[in-house]
Amino acid sequence: MAAAGATGSGLAASGCGAGASAESVTLRMVAADYGDPRRGNSTQGYWDALVRKFSQRYPGVTVDVTVLDWKDVDKKVAAMVAEGRAPDIAQLGSYADFAAGGKLYSADELLSIPVQADFLPRLAEAGKVERVQYGLPFAASTRLLFYNRKLFAKAGLDPSKPPRDWGRLVRTARRLKAAGVRVPYGLPLGREEAPAEALMWVLGGGGGYTDKAGSWTIDAPANIRTFEWMRQNLVGRGLTNRSPGSTDRQDVFDAFTRGRVGMLNGHPKLMKEAAASGVDYGTAVLPGDEGPADTTLGVADWIIAFKQGGRREEAGRFLEFVFEERNHYTFVDRYDLLPVTTSANERMRAAPEHKRLRRFQDQLPGAEFYPVGKVSWARVSRELKTSVGNVLERGADPAAVLGVIQRKAEAQDSATRAR
């Protein structure tokens, strides 16, 4: 836990109307860990340094930050809220159910207009529930196809010409397999990455999780066709890792950094891991059914502020500090993530050391994000993690598997409307 602050002059007036406070106030925050404590780069260090700087500027406010593993943070925050002890601020993966329950401050209750306007429009829109923004984007990423250039050359493939469509992807994977590559294509549909990997594939096949009206389309014909194609052409031909439905993302990433995977879908952090392991890799736009995919997956993580403690002014002041350009840039720079503000995004684009990130940045404005604004998304995401990998099991019927998930999603929506 990081702690900062002491009694002092109190909170200065903020852009959203915060007044002076005569007493010291403590904010409790729960955040997710983007680093690896075993390697000494836990996110705790970032928050420790940030709250020390904040307390120097605003000595009347104490900020206690508890950093939790990503696997635990959403669940533990939900438990805290259920027990009536919500943190003042939480940084996590979803927010809509809290917003629908009237538990959150909106963005315009927390932040000044200039800070709100600095958010990238696509991300600000993704943070809305019923046209009101409650989720403040904290960090983002997109996905590209990664491939091992050395293994391509070993298979007699041109490393400058990665596959641009699914047909070429299969032909490339078959060449890699013939050259002795252990995993021609890494396919993680285990619990860790299932919603993301599945969405990348169905987008490439012209499908998605929802339609333009926001209704669930998990068992749409385009999605069923995509998984049937994957079963027949990738898994059925032995061109992937064994048991894709129970393989987690990190396992495939680790295998890629050891030079055992020819191709896989990856996010910016994989670049640093691959480079540190000496892997000569390339990146490309995700292949689609008939050509390069029209869009890719965009993922954003969120900061929210709970009403329970009544500390709107103090929470708003701290969040404005978090999103100051230098503070936000320090975080995304450290963990190879994409900025969520225009100011930090432009700074990263101009930085020579981040040249490899520009392709990810280029993808962000048109990326498809999870339907995080749907109150049912948190439970539907858990169902996808548990079940969607079953579509690739031997003898499975993709239409039946996706149909079950679809019905559960619709039932969750109905239950939400009935509250």
Side-chain angles (χ1 to χ4, degrees):
M1 178 177 289
T7 57
S9 59
L11 187 69
S14 77
C16 54
S21 173
E23 299 180 358
S24 177
V25 174
T26 297
L27 292 173
R28 294 185 304 117
M29 177 177 176
V30 176
D33 200 345
Y34 290 79
D36 184 346
R38 297 170 300 178
R39 299 177 183 176
N41 69 340
S42 169
T43 309
Q44 187 73 66
Y46 167 80
W47 289 113
D48 287 350
L50 188 70
V51 297
R52 280 196 296 269
K53 290 194 299 181
F54 179 76
S55 69
Q56 291 170 4
R57 188 184 300 182
Y58 305 106
V61 182
T62 299
V63 184
D64 289 346
V65 183
T66 300
V67 174
L68 301 175
D69 189 279
W70 259 115
K71 295 180 180 180
D72 302 321
V73 64
D74 285 63
K75 179 175 61 177
K76 290 193 175 182
V77 169
M80 294 170 70
V81 174
E83 294 166 2
R85 52 186 188 90
D88 297 296
I89 299 170
Q91 184 265 303
L92 68 184
S94 60
Y95 62 86
D97 49 347
F98 300 130
K103 300 180 184 298
L104 303 181
Y105 291 117
S106 65
D108 59 7
E109 291 177 305
L110 295 165
L111 304 175
S112 63
I113 291 175
V115 175
Q116 294 181 64
D118 198 26
F119 288 130
L120 294 171
R122 185 71 181 86
L123 293 170
E125 188 65 29
K128 293 181 179 180
V129 176
E130 299 293 334
R131 296 182 293 280
V132 176
Q133 185 181 356
Y134 296 96
L136 311 180
F138 178 66
S141 67
T142 56
R143 299 295 194 269
L144 292 171
L145 178 74
F146 280 69
Y147 61 97
N148 186 311
R149 295 171 60 89
K150 181 178 179 180
L151 296 182
F152 266 47
K154 177 183 177 181
L157 297 162
D158 186 344
S160 68
K161 295 182 178 179
R164 295 170 59 82
D165 57 56
W166 289 355
R168 295 178 188 177
L169 180 73
V170 169
R171 292 194 291 274
T172 300
R174 294 180 73 176
R175 291 277 294 275
L176 290 167
K177 182 177 182 179
V181 176
R182 185 175 299 186
V183 181
Y185 184 87
L187 182 60
L189 278 174
R191 293 180 62 90
E192 180 184 6
E193 183 73 347
E197 187 73 21
L199 183 53
M200 282 183 273
W201 277 96
V202 299
L203 288 172
Y209 287 158
T210 60
D211 60 20
K212 292 182 179 180
S215 299
W216 292 110
T217 57
I218 295 169
D219 65 346
N223 296 349
I224 294 170
R225 286 195 301 270
T226 292
F227 284 111
E228 288 177 340
W229 184 93
M230 293 167 67
R231 288 185 63 212
Q232 179 180 347
N233 294 283
L234 285 177
V235 181
R237 294 182 178 183
L239 300 178
T240 69
N241 41 288
R242 297 176 62 182
S243 304
S246 59
T247 301
D248 282 341
R249 176 185 64 190
Q250 193 59 54
D251 295 332
V252 175
F253 277 18
D254 289 345
F256 185 79
T257 62
R258 291 193 293 268
R260 299 176 181 176
V261 176
M263 301 174 287
L264 79 169
N265 295 333
H267 55 54
K269 189 176 179 181
L270 182 57
M271 293 193 303
K272 178 176 286 188
E273 295 175 0
S277 300
V279 175
D280 181 12
Y281 69 91
T283 60
V285 173
L286 298 184
D289 184 11
E290 299 180 350
D294 293 333
T295 185
T296 188
L297 169 69
V299 176
D301 304 322
W302 307 94
I303 283 188
I304 54 178
F306 286 93
K307 293 180 177 180
Q308 183 180 2
R311 301 181 181 90
R312 178 186 65 84
E313 296 175 358
E314 294 83 0
R317 174 52 71 185
F318 181 64
L319 290 171
E320 292 221 342
F321 188 75
V322 167
F323 288 110
E324 286 184 9
E325 190 255 20
R326 62 179 179 177
N327 294 331
H328 179 51
Y329 187 85
T330 295
F331 181 82
V332 294
D333 174 61
R334 180 179 301 184
Y335 293 103
D336 293 307
L337 295 162
L338 302 184
V340 301
T341 64
T342 299
S343 56
N345 191 58
E346 291 175 349
R347 177 177 172 181
M348 178 170 282
R349 187 174 288 279
E353 67 271 21
H354 288 308
K355 183 177 180 180
R356 285 180 174 265
L357 277 173
R358 291 174 191 164
R359 177 172 275 171
F360 290 96
Q361 289 179 279
D362 291 342
Q363 298 281 300
L364 192 57
E368 181 79 14
F369 289 83
Y370 294 136
V372 290
K374 288 180 69 64
V375 177
S376 54
W377 168 245
R379 294 193 179 184
V380 173
S381 176
R382 288 196 291 270
E383 184 65 28
L384 287 166
K385 289 179 180 181
T386 302
S387 305
V388 76
N390 295 335
V391 298
L392 301 182
E393 295 295 328
R394 185 184 298 274
D397 178 1
V401 174
L402 297 179
V404 170
I405 301 174
Q406 173 77 18
R407 289 190 291 276
K408 289 184 177 180
E410 292 173 343
Q412 185 61 41
D413 272 1
S414 297
T416 299
R417 289 192 293 268
R419 288 178 183 174

